[in-house]
Amino acid sequence: DTEVTQTPKHLVMGMTNKKSLKCEQHMGHRAMYWYKQKAKKPPELMFVYSYEKLSINESVPSRFSPECPNSSLLNLHLHALQPEDSALYLCASSQEVQVSYEQYFGPGTRLTVT
Amino acid sequence: AQSVTQLGSHVSVSEGALVLLRCNYSSSVPPYLFWYVQYPNQGLQLLLKYTSAATLVKGINGFEAEFKKSETSFHLTKPSAHMSDAAEYFCAVSRTGGFKTIFGAGTRLFVKA
């Protein structure tokens, strides 16, 4: 199984809502990532988890809160978002955090903030 | 610091023609190089990667790329384009000892019938 799954596929939320994005992989990978991708742009790294511990936070605003409950799951909690946060949010995983390993991406969650 | 430049935000080819997508990188140490493809409304999928084992790397779907250190390039090619190849292609680079993969701006490939 080389699949990374993400739920929901689409999410519309108001600026005062709290919601969560979920990501799951069963490849035994020990590194997991959150990316933000705006239209016609490359993915931008947000967070990296290695062995369930946050290892990289790319200066992401605190309205985005990641969580890694176990080695297979990654969540992104959203609160008080802004319209400019509307984007495709991609989850990825790799065998280890070292950059020689390729990343496996999920299909993404299309987020719209109204 | 490493960086990657993809020449041409859009490339259009006819079905059956050669596909050439250009990627140049900069890195102060030997790099790892990747090509990913993204179909509409999907995540990224690895096409191939270079990790210094061989300069000509073969990937999935008939794509290959050649690492040329003297030209700091890692161009992606496919001998004969198929309609299903229409997608966004990202070149990416990372460096030995680093923890971050840097993506290029992407090249949109159009395939004409």
Side-chain angles (χ1 to χ4, degrees):
Chain A
D1 182 7
T2 58
E3 189 179 20
V4 175
T5 60
Q6 290 188 244
T7 55
K9 288 190 184 302
H10 301 274
L11 178 63
V12 179
M13 60 185 292
M15 291 190 284
T16 58
N17 292 157
K18 286 185 180 181
K19 297 286 185 183
S20 296
L21 310 184
K22 297 184 185 301
C23 173
E24 190 167 6
Q25 57 89 13
H26 293 288
M27 294 177 277
H29 288 174
R30 305 319 300 261
M32 296 187 77
Y33 311 76
W34 280 115
Y35 287 88
K36 174 183 178 180
Q37 186 179 28
K38 301 284 274 185
K40 303 186 189 304
K41 296 290 187 183
E44 299 174 36
L45 184 65
M46 300 174 72
F47 303 104
V48 181
Y49 273 82
S50 176
Y51 287 84
E52 301 161 48
K53 294 193 185 319
L54 184 65
S55 62
I56 295 178
N57 177 341
E58 289 287 287
S59 302
V60 178
S62 60
R63 57 186 183 268
F64 295 91
S65 176
E67 178 196 21
C68 191
N70 60 54
S71 60
S72 299
L73 292 173
L74 187 66
N75 297 322
L76 185 63
H77 302 297
L78 313 173
H79 173 56
L81 294 192
Q82 303 297 310
E84 60 265 29
D85 296 322
S86 298
L88 181 67
Y89 287 84
L90 295 165
C91 174
S93 70
S94 63
Q95 188 171 336
E96 298 275 350
V97 76
Q98 284 80 5
V99 292
S100 58
Y101 293 107
E102 64 269 28
Q103 296 179 31
Y104 292 79
F105 285 81
T109 293
R110 178 77 59 187
L111 174 67
T112 302
V113 181
T114 60
Chain B
Q2 67 270 35
S3 66
V4 60
T5 302
Q6 292 183 240
L7 299 175
S9 59
H10 297 85
V11 170
S12 182
V13 300
S14 297
E15 193 172 21
L18 172 72
V19 175
L20 171 60
L21 304 182
R22 300 177 187 273
C23 173
N24 288 88
Y25 70 91
S26 67
S27 179
S28 56
V29 296
Y32 300 109
L33 293 160
F34 307 82
W35 275 101
Y36 287 88
V37 62
Q38 185 174 30
Y39 298 101
N41 300 312
Q42 293 189 28
L44 280 69
Q45 178 184 9
L46 180 73
L47 281 175
L48 49 82
K49 71 174 185 179
Y50 167 78
T51 56
S52 79
T55 57
L56 183 61
V57 182
K58 293 188 183 299
I60 63 171
N61 302 339
F63 284 94
E64 63 181 36
E66 186 173 8
F67 173 72
K68 291 187 177 180
K69 184 177 179 181
S70 61
E71 299 177 8
T72 61
S73 69
F74 190 57
H75 301 333
L76 181 71
T77 61
K78 182 175 181 177
S80 177
H82 192 274
M83 296 296 287
S84 61
D85 294 326
E88 188 85 22
Y89 291 79
F90 292 99
C91 182
V93 64
S94 56
R95 64 174 178 85
T96 306
F99 294 95
K100 188 174 174 180
T101 298
I102 306 297
F103 289 86
T107 298
R108 172 71 62 151
L109 176 65
F110 296 92
V111 182
K112 299 174 290 186

